Amino acid sequence: PFDWYAEMRQNNPVRYDERRQTWDVFRYEEVDRVLRDHETFSSDLTTATVQPRGRDDDSGVLTMLRADPPEHGRLREFVNERFQPGAIRTNRVRIEELTAKQLAQIEDNDRIDVVSDLAYPLPVSVIAELLGIPIDRRDQFKQWSDAIVARAPEDTDAHTAVQQRRSDAWTEMRTYFSKLIEERKNGTRDDLITLAATATELDRDETIGFCILLLIAGNVTTTNLITNAVWCFEEHDVTERIRAGEIDRAQAIEEVLRYRSPVQMVRRVATEDVELGGRQITAGERVTPWVGSANRDPEMFDAPAAFRPERRPNPHLAFGRGIHFCLGAPLARVEADVVLGALLDRFSTIEPDLTDRTPRPTFHGLMTLPCAVER
Ligand code: HEM
């Protein structure tokens, strides 16, 4: 999409797409403004006067992701503390253990798939532990997540089937979490389901919505960050310098977030008539800020098309900005850092085979990333 972004930033930085019935926003300046100004640009998509055809955005469950103040604060504040960098640091050792366990299963291989061997299972395992759900349901979680993010061409049988699976997944997840929440109401455990189940500010549906949001929001995204990192490091030949410590790993991961942002766009609705980038947006119209394009805006970043792992400062918008700034950002950063550190430690060479670059639908990433490895 990157050439398209460049052209749009130049010629059509804020434009209305008739087919998708949304305003697309491509420049850093305006994307940043939309994200910061949550009063004018609401996250509650149900307020849109023009609803998209086909895909329904949510299940009708209210979560922080789709709430505006004051609801947003109520739905987020009870858990904020748990995701602060300091709190997440205490999980690092456990994340290292889970990574080591995953690596142990492939240590004698001479070929691995970064996605299915590491980048997929690790984030699911971590979030499952934080929520306090048994890891033996992992395949089930994958099926649910895949069903939620799946897309198919409109007006086709495949589309109907995809929608059916999505709605089944919602129903199953609701039933699954309802039961767990009931069991944890007594508050004897120290996990996120217990935290939500005992939070007086949430009602039952909101508690379920919170669990589902955490399960979905952090998985495909972190999988893509880890995969995109291996991809970028190889493509730009910096793996050895990172291994040698010449380039700071955490800083290089920030550049991956900018350069191949796992989430390329977010969604808003205008609450009032507003001018943006010289165009007039009407209240109730949908707005799509492309963070993946903002992250390559030459007005903000020197040589944005170059992958510079030492770029500093790096004010990318990959985790959003403003009140909806990603709750899981500190966790995703630690996970990526741990996994990449462990990979470089374990294997002396990692040679990705980039011939099959089947993109992941919806998010920016790859379905598989096979690598030849040597210990
Ligand atoms: C919000 C990206 C990992 C939980 C967001 C937003 C972005 C984002 C762009 C803002 C959405 C908006 O403004 O509409 C990412 C990326 C990740 C990642 C790129 C990985 C590399 C995670 C993880 C978790 C998580 C691991 C949970 C464990 C959330 C939640 C929100 C959110 C709960 C909603 C926050 C709010 O509305 O206040 N994420 N995310 N994310 N993310 Fe993440």
Side-chain angles (χ1 to χ4, degrees), residues 110-283:
D110 50 15
R111 291 190 71 77
I112 63 169
D113 172 24
V114 172
V115 180
S116 59
D117 290 331
L118 270 177
Y120 172 73
L122 200 266
V124 194
S125 308
V126 172
I127 199 65
E129 279 209 359
L130 289 176
L131 283 165
I133 45 191
I135 196 57
D136 55 9
R137 298 298 297 265
R138 203 160 74 185
D139 290 341
Q140 176 72 77
F141 299 155
K142 182 171 164 56
Q143 279 169 25
W144 284 336
S145 309
D146 289 350
I148 299 294
V149 300
R151 271 170 194 253
E154 277 171 36
D155 308 322
T156 60
D157 290 346
H159 184 70
T160 317
V162 162
Q163 282 202 315
Q164 185 58 48
R165 271 199 299 278
R166 185 182 305 138
S167 112
D168 291 348
W170 279 114
T171 313
E172 287 165 27
M173 284 192 288
R174 272 217 186 95
T175 312
Y176 178 69
F177 282 115
S178 291
K179 192 164 154 279
L180 282 177
I181 289 163
E182 259 336 290
E183 291 166 9
R184 309 261 166 108
K185 278 226 163 89
N186 61 18
T188 51
R189 296 177 50 140
D190 180 38
D191 54 43
L192 292 176
I193 294 184
T194 304
L195 181 73
T198 54
T200 48
E201 54 271 63
L202 303 194
D203 70 21
R204 212 181 89 101
D205 271 357
E206 290 165 351
T207 309
I208 298 173
F210 167 78
C211 296
I212 298 179
L213 176 63
L214 252 62
L215 194 56
I216 307 290
N219 282 340
V220 192
T221 46
T222 311
T223 300
N224 284 343
L225 174 57
I226 295 167
T227 315
N228 291 356
V230 176
W231 177 10
C232 285
F233 296 169
E234 164 63 20
E235 197 177 30
H236 301 280
D237 209 15
V238 294
T239 309
E240 287 317 311
R241 288 169 61 207
I242 293 170
R243 190 200 304 276
E246 282 165 37
I247 298 175
D248 180 59
R249 198 166 64 224
Q251 205 176 339
I253 291 168
E254 293 305 301
E255 181 68 344
V256 175
L257 281 158
R258 181 192 72 83
Y259 192 80
R260 293 199 180 280
S261 312
V263 174
Q264 291 282 306
M265 49 92 156
V266 298
R267 286 179 288 184
R268 296 291 188 266
V269 177
T271 57
E272 54 190 68
D273 295 358
V274 57
E275 199 206 290
L276 189 71
R279 303 294 303 272
Q280 194 61 44
I281 299 177
T282 304

Side-chain angles (χ1 to χ4, degrees), residues 35 43 64-66 72 76 83 127 213-214 217-219 221-222 225 257 262-263 266-268 291 317-321 323-329 331-332 335:
L35 293 180
S43 285
M64 65 181 106
L65 180 66
R66 290 283 153 242
H72 175 261
R76 176 159 174 157
F83 280 91
I127 199 65
L213 176 63
L214 252 62
N219 282 340
T221 46
T222 311
L225 174 57
L257 281 158
V263 174
V266 298
R267 286 179 288 184
R268 296 291 188 266
V291 295
L317 299 175
F319 289 120
R321 176 157 290 171
I323 62 168
H324 293 281
F325 181 83
C326 179
L327 176 73
L331 177 61
E335 290 183 40

